[in-house]
Amino acid sequence: MPSSLSGSAGAATVRAAEECTAPADCPGCTSAPLPVLGRDVRVPLVTGGEVGYAALDYAASAPALQRVWDDIAAYAPYYGSVHRGAGYLSQLSTDLFEQSRETVAGFLGCRPDDELIFTRSTTDSLNLLAAALPAGTRIYVFDTEHHAALLPWQRAEDARVEYLPAPRTPEQAVASLDVALHGAPKGPKLVCVTGASNVTGEIWPVRELAAAAHRHGARIVLDAAQLAPHRPVDVTALDVDWVAFSGHKLYAPFGAGVLAGRADWLRDAEPYLAGGGATRKVARSGDELLVEWNSGTARHEAGSPNVIGAYAIASACKALTEAGFDSLVTRERELLDRLRDGLADLPEVRVLSLFGAGSARVGVLSFVVQGWNSSHLAAALSAEYGIGVRDGLFCAHPLVRTLLDTEPDEPGECGAPDAAPGERSLNAVRVSFGAGTPEEHVDRFLGAVRTLVREGAAWRYRTEGGRCVPVR
Ligand SMILES: Cc1ncc(COP(=O)(O)O)c(C=O)c1O
């Protein structure tokens, strides 16, 4: 057993990440604050040869931190069942799982009575909360949200959802929520809000929205899927009732997510999934099963827990904390300025923004280019420059349509199915980065966009299955 895990899982410590070496053709590639996997992966170019892959789609899924990978690799031989085994490795794995819960709760600044449930993702976390709402809860949500935060509430029993229109400033968001809640009838109310937009990267006024919610007796859940990888999220300081995020956006891509916050609604709700682990006692009485459900986190964690996923998130939380958000944020701002300044030099490029050019953002930015179909641009960035970005409506269709000013019934599905290369774009390109991004990737991206916009693509593309692909 490695010393890092010896004694008990509680003694698990973090090993130093391996020495980070720069690939030969990219001397600047070690300039990122935290080493991630994949920095030396090379991909073929349609124009011939190959190049180091520039992952600029962190907002979809960030690469694993080297440190997370090392921690998981060190633990993997000791992997065992959680909460259901008498063997040493089961005990160790159970310890590690519960210790991970504490680490993540600490990272999130949870209150002593909060519960932290390991889920599969942000989507899963918000669906879990939706399933736990008291009957008749009124939900208030801006129509700018990611679908994961927009859609689960419709399913809640007796729920009434009020969709608030896209605000144009952070202050307008708070005022609009205030007005909506002011006229709200008595009874349970929940506000769901994003911390940072997955489309514009803009940071929402979470603390102020939480204050508005609480002023009117409502609770608030924070979708921190995009905020947590970039900024400290402290539920106590922000005074939010719940927070949800995904491991795979926080450099921990092992299939786990988190819902953390107030215990009462979760305690009173039916278990999210019915099955082993959620039950204290099951007995048969004639044609019926008499079930005593567990309380606490076990109530909503039926099935064998994902200990690797939970440990990976805990490891990422430790790595981010040790690196220090102050320096990560400073460095991210520098990269963002570089990106925005570079795009501002191209009059054909329009950066999408809800709150205006000066608003605070994380490292996520979407844009359209006059005369370019976004799917075409994204395909050319990949095929000719080895740069991975995303194009589409980013699972936030109402928001992107608002920002692009297109009618809701115009075609605009991801990849703009009917648009040939060069047609007007009904969707956008998103570039996103994080603690593993070297400056070289941002510079290569800017150079590539400049060349594509000024000189056009070097290759021919066609639409296939709704996406632009290189003609081969
Ligand atoms: C703001 C936001 N919320 C929720 C989600 C859903 O996350 P997941 O797909 O991990 O469930 C995403 C994913 O892109 C997101 O960006």
Side-chain angles (χ1 to χ4, degrees):
M1 176 180 292
S3 59
S4 60
L5 287 171
S6 64
S8 76
T13 55
V14 172
R15 292 190 307 145
E18 277 164 24
E19 196 59 30
C20 175
T21 49
D25 68 346
C26 179
C29 282
T30 50
S31 62
L34 290 174
V36 291
L37 296 190
R39 59 189 183 270
D40 46 7
V41 165
R42 299 182 66 75
V43 293
L45 299 180
V46 73
T47 43
E50 54 177 34
V51 68
Y53 186 64
L56 290 175
D57 196 11
Y58 276 50
S61 285
L65 286 180
Q66 181 72 52
R67 154 87 168 269
V68 168
W69 188 254
D70 292 344
D71 279 349
I72 295 302
Y75 161 63
Y78 305 95
Y79 174 75
S81 64
V82 170
H83 292 151
R84 41 184 43 77
Y88 187 86
L89 297 194
S90 293
Q91 306 278 317
L92 184 144
S93 296
T94 301
D95 273 3
L96 197 66
F97 186 69
E98 292 306 329
Q99 189 200 348
S100 300
R101 199 191 303 278
E102 277 176 33
T103 301
V104 181
F107 178 77
L108 293 171
C110 287
R111 297 151 292 230
D113 296 339
D114 283 345
E115 265 181 11
L116 187 144
I117 297 170
F118 282 112
T119 63
R120 290 180 299 166
S121 60
T122 310
T123 304
D124 200 29
S125 298
L126 295 174
N127 274 274
L128 161 56
L129 186 62
L133 297 181
T137 299
R138 285 181 173 259
I139 295 105
Y140 298 82
V141 56
F142 288 92
D143 65 10
T144 48
E145 294 293 343
H146 187 282
H147 296 170
L150 196 60
L151 302 179
W153 319 112
Q154 292 175 342
R155 295 184 164 186
E157 197 191 340
D158 284 343
R160 300 274 297 276
V161 190
E162 188 166 327
Y163 300 102
L164 307 177
R168 284 306 183 158
T169 63
E171 295 73 28
Q172 217 179 71
V174 180
S176 156
L177 180 66
D178 232 341
V179 169
L181 288 172
H182 187 68
K186 284 205 172 350
K189 295 179 269 298
L190 178 73
V191 176
C192 176
V193 72
T194 191
S197 165
N198 69 308
V199 177
T200 65
E202 288 167 324
I203 296 177
W204 281 60
V206 176
R207 201 189 310 256
E208 292 77 5
L209 289 165
H214 291 152
R215 241 189 333 273
H216 297 285
R219 293 189 174 194
I220 183 165
V221 55
L222 171 64
D223 170 357
Q226 299 297 344
L227 189 65
H230 300 275
R231 295 287 187 280
V233 171
D234 186 309
V235 297
T236 307
L238 292 171
D239 198 18
V240 293
D241 297 283
W242 292 276
V243 62
F245 74 89
S246 302
H248 71 103
K249 295 183 196 293
L250 194 97
Y251 312 101
F254 291 91
V258 167
L259 176 70
R262 307 274 179 212
D264 51 356
W265 286 8
L266 297 167
R267 188 178 51 223
D268 296 342
E270 287 293 305
Y272 184 44
L273 296 173
T279 51
R280 195 177 294 135
K281 188 168 149 196
V282 181
R284 183 166 165 191
S285 164
D287 289 341
E288 265 188 275
L289 283 181
L290 306 176
V291 183
E292 264 181 45
W293 298 104
N294 261 326
S295 54
T297 51
R299 188 176 184 84
H300 297 296
E301 285 180 352
S304 296
N306 176 1
V307 55
I308 296 234
Y311 184 41
I313 293 181
S315 167
C317 290
K318 284 189 215 161
L320 289 169
T321 305
E322 285 167 21
F325 271 106
D326 284 352
S327 65
L328 292 176
V329 169
T330 303
R331 204 276 182 159
E332 181 175 290
R333 284 205 184 109
E334 284 163 12
L335 275 196
L336 199 52
D337 286 348
R338 199 174 178 120
L339 183 63
R340 293 170 80 173
D341 290 350
L343 290 176
D345 281 347
L346 299 169
E348 299 86 347
V349 170
R350 176 160 74 93
V351 172
L352 304 185
S353 166
L354 202 51
F355 296 157
S359 55
R361 289 173 185 248
V362 298
V364 176
L365 183 148
S366 298
F367 64 97
V368 287
V369 183
Q370 202 184 339
W372 277 80
N373 171 304
S374 294
S375 175
H376 187 193
L377 190 78
L381 285 169
S382 171
E384 298 176 33
Y385 297 91
I387 297 170
V389 296
R390 182 166 172 197
D391 65 283
L393 299 176
F394 318 123
C395 300
H397 293 192
L399 171 59
V400 180
R401 285 180 173 132
T402 298
L403 295 170
L404 293 180
D405 203 16
T406 55
E407 288 302 315
D409 55 357
E410 277 191 72
E413 294 304 312
C414 300
D418 301 325
E423 278 183 24
R424 185 169 84 90
S425 188
L426 295 173
N427 51 20
V429 179
R430 181 179 73 189
V431 53
S432 54
F433 58 88
T437 307
E439 282 90 350
E440 186 275 337
H441 288 181
V442 171
D443 292 344
R444 190 182 341 157
F445 168 80
L446 287 170
V449 173
R450 194 175 304 117
T451 306
L452 288 168
V453 170
R454 295 276 149 83
E455 297 168 24
W459 202 257
R460 283 187 306 117
Y461 296 79
R462 65 190 167 86
T463 307
E464 187 181 288
R467 299 200 54 79
C468 289
V469 293
V471 175
R472 299 204 191 248

